[in-house]
Amino acid sequence: MRFLILVAYVALSTFQAVIICSGLGAWTGIPAIAAVPVATLLGLVPGPGTILAILAAGSAWGWPWFGSTALFGSLLALWMHVALHHALPAFSSREGE
């Protein structure tokens, strides 16, 4: 299960970074070589990266807002699931006491 979560996160984050790169190029006119590192960093961050990907998919690629929100919202939901299901129980463990 963890492997599937990792694969889904990497696939959606990569796709998110590609769309953010297109959006940065459309919004600011910067060349792709400069937009790729910025888009890669933003694509890996669930909150701001998700919002930028939704905006970029709607404006740069002409996607409907509900479609881009559903796709990239799933990445945010996946991140929340991993945080709540896997990370928080590890922090609340009382093995040492």
Side-chain angles (χ1 to χ4, degrees), residues 3-77:
F3 179 73
L4 286 175
I5 290 172
L6 178 66
V7 168
Y9 182 77
V10 168
L12 283 173
S13 293
T14 302
F15 190 56
Q16 185 168 290
V18 169
I19 290 183
I20 291 172
C21 185
S22 295
L24 288 174
W27 297 327
T28 63
I30 62 175
I33 193 82
V36 167
V38 174
T40 301
L41 290 175
L42 290 172
L44 294 174
V45 179
T50 302
I51 293 168
L52 282 174
I54 291 168
L55 293 174
S59 63
W61 286 11
W63 284 18
W65 294 106
F66 61 90
S68 60
T69 302
L71 178 66
F72 297 114
S74 66
L75 179 62
L76 190 60

